[in-house]
Amino acid sequence: MRTGGCLAVLLLMSCGSDGPSGPALEPRPDVIFFLTDGEIPRSEETLAAVTLLNSRGRRVVINTIAFGDPASQELLREIARRSGGIYRFVSSDDL
């Protein structure tokens, strides 16, 4: 599992042991579905990185989905809001 804020930026940037480095997806996709089942570390840094990366060139819509653990729901909700996407939470009971 990737840590240190790389998890959410992985789809927009390559992510190595030193953190985000360069474009991962070229050409940029129209939409990303970002799914997680737990807490995303360094949420403020992650949100800032995703926002910065998505401000370059054409904006990518990022839909976010949390499964089971609502730990990072505020971060996921904000990533979706800033990118024009939708946030959804799926509880363990719904799985």
Side-chain angles (χ1 to χ4, degrees), residues 35-93:
L35 297 83
T36 184
D37 64 351
E39 185 171 356
I40 299 170
R42 297 168 50 184
S43 62
E44 288 183 30
E45 293 173 37
T46 299
L47 180 59
V50 170
T51 301
L52 175 66
L53 294 170
N54 213 9
S55 69
R56 299 176 183 166
R58 184 175 49 84
R59 182 175 78 167
V60 176
V61 173
I62 306 172
N63 295 301
T64 59
I65 304 169
F67 292 95
D69 185 348
S72 291
Q73 68 179 333
E74 292 306 316
L75 170 63
L76 296 171
R77 186 176 282 123
E78 190 61 17
I79 289 171
R81 186 190 71 74
R82 289 186 185 189
S83 70
I86 297 171
Y87 164 77
R88 292 291 184 256
F89 175 71
V90 180
S91 71
S92 297
D93 296 337

Side-chain angles (χ1 to χ4, degrees), residues 11-22:
L11 294 172
L12 293 176
M13 295 286 287
S14 296
C15 195
S17 60
D18 295 330
S21 58

